[in-house]
Amino acid sequence: MSRSTLTDLFHQAASVLLPLSAHLLQCIASADVVWADETPVRVLDVKKTRQGYLWTFLTQTPVPHRIVETPGWS
């Protein structure tokens, strides 16, 4: 699969997940206490790797979510 196809799929997935991301960030921002972890990770760049970061957030209150099964998913 070409790099441009993977990039297009990544951007399409990001667009679909944007409402979920916005909701989670709103829940985190409204929490009284937030714990955060910044983990360094190596990410691919053109013909090399560079330093990236993965952020994880935790609040005292669980963020409500619902998992919906889609027919045909296994």
Side-chain angles (χ1 to χ4, degrees):
M1 187 178 294
S2 72
R3 173 176 270 176
S4 64
T5 300
L6 286 173
T7 301
D8 290 343
L9 290 171
F10 176 83
H11 286 283
Q12 288 176 18
S15 294
V16 169
L17 295 172
L18 186 59
L20 175 62
S21 174
H23 175 72
L24 290 173
L25 287 174
Q26 182 182 14
C27 290
I28 291 166
S30 67
D32 292 331
V33 176
V34 177
W35 292 275
D37 177 62
E38 180 181 83
T39 302
V41 293
R42 301 195 55 75
V43 295
L44 290 176
D45 202 350
V46 179
K47 297 185 180 183
K48 59 181 177 180
T49 61
R50 62 182 178 83
Q51 187 73 42
Y53 296 93
L54 175 66
W55 291 280
T56 305
F57 299 97
L58 179 66
T59 66
Q60 290 177 314
T61 307
V63 176
H65 65 281
R66 179 176 33 175
I67 298 174
V68 179
E69 271 192 48
T70 302
W73 286 18
S74 47

